[in-house]
């Protein structure tokens, strides 16, 4: 499980860095959408009980 979380956090960090350098509104929207998906996944994985379901 921690590998999944580590991968999500790494992807999130790369997207945040990419967001800082991207000027295209369309590209920024795509990145922000991906960040929302990652945050949702991290929230889901961090819920109490999610570790017990493995």
């Amino acid at each position: 499980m921690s590998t999944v979380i580590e991968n999500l956090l790494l992807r999130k960090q790369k997207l945040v860095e990419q967001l800082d350098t991207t000027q295209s509104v369309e590209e920024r929207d795509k990145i922000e959408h991906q960040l929302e998906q990652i945050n949702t996944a991290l929230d889901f994985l961090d819920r109490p009980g999610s570790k017990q379901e493995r």
Side-chain angles (χ1 to χ4, degrees), residues 20-41:
D20 289 338
T21 61
T22 302
Q23 294 181 0
S24 164
V25 174
E26 202 171 278
E27 192 65 28
R28 291 179 67 83
D29 286 345
K30 287 180 185 178
I31 293 170
E32 288 173 354
H33 179 70
Q34 291 176 20
L35 286 170
E36 288 175 16
Q37 290 178 323
I38 290 172
N39 286 333
T40 300

Side-chain angles (χ1 to χ4, degrees), residues 5 7-9 13 15 39 47 53-54:
I5 293 172
N7 287 339
L8 286 170
L9 290 172
Q13 180 181 358
L15 286 170
N39 286 333
R47 286 184 186 166
E53 294 175 4
R54 281 206 287 165

